[in-house]
């Protein structure tokens, strides 16, 4: 069941979406060699509480932290901890905020210090993949159009798309229908209609697409230990296209 949001409901979502985006702006200057992912978590947690928001990941199905921090070959759902980031690392910071019961979800992959060639490659492909996917959003298009556009671009850059994790509807619930795959065939899948709100969040691997889940039950890594990067926005389908809600 896809919940088509009214214009008023979409307006009500915007504070949470803006807050999540602002948290990423806030954290960027702190992401330097020597910081721990725990410190990233603590800074964003404090920022969230200070602004009257709730960190959605904290205790979500038992997740122990307020943000996900995925370093280098970690694809998604990395748990913040004491390990210090090093020069040349990349780290995805995934923030979901709740304000007045509405969720806003966004993520960005940051360079730590000076990026190496392979890191720059996968991060820039992931950044562009999100843009390509968003550009496919308009009323009458289908979810398969989004996935196809992303897959075609990423594979043309000799990278791969993770299949096991996808974007999702969002609103009063963290995860709603529909599932938004980042691969697919054009003209297939659910038709996009004004008022649909969902995330697009392609996970791009520098190597093969295979992933595995670690014993902690959360952390997902590339099977071949290749670098992985991700960017994410929450957006609404409008009468003539789309509106990105997670802009600061």
């Amino acid at each position: 069941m896809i919940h088509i949001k009214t214009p008023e409901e979409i307006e009500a979502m915007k504070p949470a979406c803006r807050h999540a985006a602002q948290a990423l702006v806030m954290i960027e200057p702190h992401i330097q060699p020597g910081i721990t992912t725990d410190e990233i978590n603590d800074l964003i947690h404090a920022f969230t509480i200070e602004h009257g928001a709730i960190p959605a990941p904290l205790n979500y199905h038992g997740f122990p932290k307020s943000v996900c921090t995925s370093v280098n070959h970690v694809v998604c759902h990395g748990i913040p901890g004491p390990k210090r980031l090093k020069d040349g690392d990349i780290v995805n910071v995934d923030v979901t905020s709740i304000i007045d019961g509405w969720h806003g979800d966004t993520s960005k992959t940051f360079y730590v210090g000076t990026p190496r060639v392979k890191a720059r490659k996968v991060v820039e492909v992931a950044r562009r993949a999100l843009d390509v996917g968003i550009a496919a959003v308009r009323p009458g298009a289908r979810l398969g159009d989004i996935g196809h556009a992303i897959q075609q671009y990423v594979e043309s850059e000799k990278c791969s798309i993770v299949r096991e994790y996808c974007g999702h509807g969002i609103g009063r619930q963290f995860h709603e229908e529909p599932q938004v795959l980042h691969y697919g065939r054009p003209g297939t899948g659910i038709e996009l209609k004004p008022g649909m709100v969902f995330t697009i969040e392609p996970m791009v691997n520098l190597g093969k697409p295979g992933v595995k889940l670690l014993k902690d039950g959360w952390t997902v890594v590339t099977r071949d230990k290749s670098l992985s990067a991700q960017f994410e926005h929450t957006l609404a389908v409008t009468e003539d296209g789309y509106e990105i809600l997670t802009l600061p």
Side-chain angles (χ1 to χ4, degrees), residues 24 44 57 66-70 76-77 92-96 105-108 174 201 230 232:
L24 292 179
I44 292 179
S66 295
V67 297
C68 298
T69 51
S70 302
C76 60
H77 305 157
N92 176 273
V93 180
D94 193 340
V95 179
T96 307
D105 189 3
T106 186
S107 85
K108 178 177 180 178
F174 195 161
E201 46 184 298
Q230 179 190 21
E232 174 184 16

Side-chain angles (χ1 to χ4, degrees), residues 84-105:
R84 297 194 178 277
L85 298 179
K86 304 186 304 295
D87 184 68
D89 284 344
I90 58 174
V91 57
N92 176 273
V93 180
D94 193 340
V95 179
T96 307
S97 303
I98 307 170
I99 295 179
D100 294 331
W102 295 98
H103 293 68
D105 189 3

Side-chain angles (χ1 to χ4, degrees), residues 10-28 40-57 66-67 93-108 110 170 232-234 244-248:
I10 291 171
E11 284 299 313
M13 287 188 68
K14 287 182 179 179
C17 290
R18 276 195 299 267
H19 176 273
Q22 289 163 356
L24 292 179
V25 173
M26 179 278 296
I27 202 63
E28 184 158 16
I40 293 171
N41 176 82
D42 293 348
L43 286 165
I44 292 179
H45 179 89
F47 179 85
T48 302
I49 301 305
E50 286 165 8
H51 287 81
I54 298 168
S66 295
V67 297
V93 180
D94 193 340
V95 179
T96 307
S97 303
I98 307 170
I99 295 179
D100 294 331
W102 295 98
H103 293 68
D105 189 3
T106 186
S107 85
K108 178 177 180 178
F110 297 93
I170 187 169
E232 174 184 16
H233 273 310
T234 298
I244 300 173
L245 304 181
T246 41
L247 295 175

Side-chain angles (χ1 to χ4, degrees), residues 129-147:
L130 176 58
D131 294 340
V132 165
I134 291 172
V137 176
R138 61 185 181 280
R142 295 187 176 271
L143 286 175
D145 299 333
I146 299 172

Side-chain angles (χ1 to χ4, degrees), residues 174-189:
F174 195 161
H175 295 93
E176 301 179 354
E177 291 297 324
Q179 292 191 334
V180 182
L181 303 181
H182 304 118
Y183 62 96
R185 291 184 292 118
T188 65

